[in-house]
């Protein structure tokens, strides 16, 4: 058995596969990471201001990630979105988060969107739609839902 193990390890080294620390590979075969989004949202007169900061709790780096923001009410036409963000539907915006090192914060993402009409409330949902192959077993902190009332008050998530 020892000889088989030695041959197997030699084969891994020969093809360039490194030994990965325990817990750093997810079930899907990719590196394990834990993405999270925390920030604040407010609404006044049908305009929603959103600011949030992505974070990777690790244990592995994330080469690139994309977050989706969905509103329960449709967005008005002619939105001006920050760089790296684009509409992908009447109620959806996708934003590139970029690479995130383990145990590090990403750049804050801020935007103001206008909703069609003037709803008295909107449900905002954020979630990761792409993580560069990283596996996230703790989806609770990268799937945020916040009810924002048209009061000008700030709602933290």
């Amino acid at each position: 058995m020892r000889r088989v193990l030695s041959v197997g390890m030699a084969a891994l080294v020969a093809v360039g596969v490194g030994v990965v620390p325990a817990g750093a590979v997810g079930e899907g075969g990719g590196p394990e990471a834990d993405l999270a989004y925390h920030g604040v949202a407010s609404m006044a007169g049908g305009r929603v201001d959103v600011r949030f900061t992505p974070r990777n709790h690790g244990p592995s780096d994330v080469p690139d990630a994309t977050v989706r923001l969905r509103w329960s009410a449709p967005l008005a036409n002619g939105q001006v979105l920050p760089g790296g963000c684009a509409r992908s539907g009447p109620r959806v915006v996708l934003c590139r988060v970029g690479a995130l090192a383990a145990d590090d914060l990403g750049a804050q993402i801020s935007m103001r969107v206008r909703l069609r009409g003037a709803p008295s409330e909107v449900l905002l949902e954020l979630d990761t739609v792409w993580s560069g192959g990283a596996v996230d077993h703790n989806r609770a902190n990268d799937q945020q839902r916040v009810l924002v009332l048209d009061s000008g008050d700030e709602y933290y998530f």
Side-chain angles (χ1 to χ4, degrees):
M1 182 69 167
R2 180 184 285 180
R3 184 170 191 274
V4 172
L5 222 59
S6 297
V7 171
M9 289 301 288
L12 287 174
V13 172
V15 296
V17 177
V19 177
V20 179
V25 175
E27 283 179 22
E32 185 177 346
D34 183 15
L35 296 174
Y37 306 103
H38 296 289
V40 62
S42 63
M43 181 168 67
R47 293 182 187 267
V48 182
D49 289 308
V50 180
R51 292 185 322 272
F52 64 95
T53 303
R55 180 180 181 99
N56 177 10
H57 292 285
S60 299
D61 295 348
V62 173
D64 201 359
T66 301
V67 63
R68 172 176 46 206
L69 293 87
R70 287 185 287 199
W71 286 268
S72 60
L75 302 175
N77 293 328
Q79 300 290 331
V80 176
L81 299 171
C85 295
R87 284 184 70 170
S88 71
R91 301 168 193 246
V92 179
V93 172
L94 299 175
C95 292
R96 181 174 185 255
V97 171
L100 289 170
D103 293 322
D104 201 9
L105 294 172
Q108 184 181 72
I109 297 174
S110 298
M111 71 179 71
R112 173 178 280 177
V113 296
R114 288 179 294 106
L115 303 174
R116 283 191 204 151
S120 61
E121 65 183 35
V122 67
L123 178 64
L124 170 61
E125 298 177 285
L126 292 90
D127 65 324
T128 301
V129 292
W130 189 67
S131 60
V135 178
D136 189 343
H137 295 292
N138 180 13
R139 298 301 308 267
N141 57 359
D142 76 313
Q143 296 178 335
Q144 299 286 356
R145 294 174 55 132
V146 58
L147 180 63
V148 184
L149 304 179
D150 190 7
S151 63
D153 293 334
E154 294 185 326
Y155 297 90
Y156 292 86
F157 55 91

